[in-house]
Amino acid sequence: MRATYMYGAGDVRVETVPDPVLQRPTDAIVRIVRSCICGSDLHPYHNLPASPQGTPMGHEFLGVVEDLGTEVSGLRRGDLVVAPFAYSDNTCDLCREGLHTSCPNGGFWAAGDVGGAQAEAIRVPQAAGTLVKLPVGENSMLLPSLLTLADVYGTGYHAAKQAHVTPRTTVAVIGDGAVGLMAVLSAHRLGAERIILMGRHDVRTKLGIDFGATDVVPERGGEGVEKVRELTGGQGVHAVLEAVGYRDAYETAFGIVRPGGVISRVGVPQYEEAPIGFGSLFGPNITLTGGPAPVRAYIDELLPGVLEGTVEPGRVFDQTIGLEQVPDGYLAMNDRTALKVLIRP
C-alpha cells in the first residue's frame, strides 16, 4: 500500500510499504477513505531530526472495516467508522472516567508498531473500544464534518469543556487554525455570548465569525493583550482557550485572563517551562487546565449535531488532495495557503 513518512524537517514522502495485517485478536484492519493533515503535524515538519527509517504520519481518519480479530465485537466488515486520534479499550477505569488518552492499553497512531493514517490502510489496536460506527455510506457529503470528530472538533470542545464555558462566560480563543475555530464553535454551542477570536488571517477569522465569534483581535503580543483588556473593560476574560502551543500564546493567555479565570490549553505545548507563580497564576486564583483531548469521550455527544446538519465543522477543510499530493499539502499548510487539508487516498 501507499503511506506517508517524514524523514526529517520538511522531508515528506509517499512510499510503498507492506500492507497492515492483524497482529492481535483485538485488532482490525481499516481501509482509509478520508484522512487529513493536522496543525500539530507541522511541529515535526519544522523540527523533526533526520532519520533513515522515517516516521509514519497521520492520526485522523474515516475508513471501512476490512478485517477483524477474533475478539472484536460490535463491528462488521464493511462498516464505515471514525477513529479518535488515540486508540483505547474504552473499558478501563480511566476510559470510564473520560480519559481515553491515558488508557493503559491504548496509545497513539504513528507510534511504535502502529502505522499512520495518511495512508491507504491501517491496523487498529483495541478496535472494539476505539472505532465508532457511522450510519452513513462512504460517499456521504457529511464525511468532512465526520472526520473532524477524529480530532479537531473534539479537541476544540475539550478546550471549552475544561474551561467550564457557560452562557455567562466571556471567552477568548487564541489561534485561528482548525482547532481554534472548533473551540469557537464549541464555546458558542455551550452558550457563550461573547467570544473573542485572536487571529489575523481574514478568511479564517470570517469563518470564526460564522462559527460564533463576536470579536476579532488580530494584534499579537502586548498589543493583543491590551486590545482584549480594552474589549472587556479592563478585566480580561473568564476563559482562554489556547489552541497554538507556543510559549508566546501561553503568555498572551495569562495576560488576558481575569482573576478567578481559566486557561485551557489544547495546542500541543512546544515548551516545558512557563510562568505559573504568584504573579501570573497563583496570586489571581487562575486555573490552568487542558491537555490532549479524549475525543472518544465526546464522539457520541457531538455526532448527532453533525448527522443532523446543525453544525458544519467540516468547513475547516479548504483544500482536498490525493495521497500522492500529501507533501504539497504539508507545504500549503505550512505556508498558510490552506487552513486544513483533506486527503482522499
Side-chain angles (χ1 to χ4, degrees), residues 249-265:
Y250 174 82
E251 291 174 347
T252 296
F254 77 72
I256 63 176
V257 67
R258 66 183 289 168
V262 180
I263 297 172
S264 183
R265 300 182 305 166

Side-chain angles (χ1 to χ4, degrees), residues 36 141-149 152-153 178 181-182 185 207 211 305-306 311-320 339-342:
C36 55
M141 297 294 289
L142 293 175
L143 292 194
S145 286
L146 291 168
L147 180 56
T148 67
L149 297 173
V152 290
Y153 189 9
L181 295 176
M182 292 297 94
L185 176 64
L207 183 55
F211 284 157
V306 174
V311 291
E312 296 181 272
R315 293 177 65 191
V316 296
F317 293 108
D318 57 351
Q319 184 172 322
T320 300
L339 167 57
K340 190 167 179 65
V341 173
L342 182 72

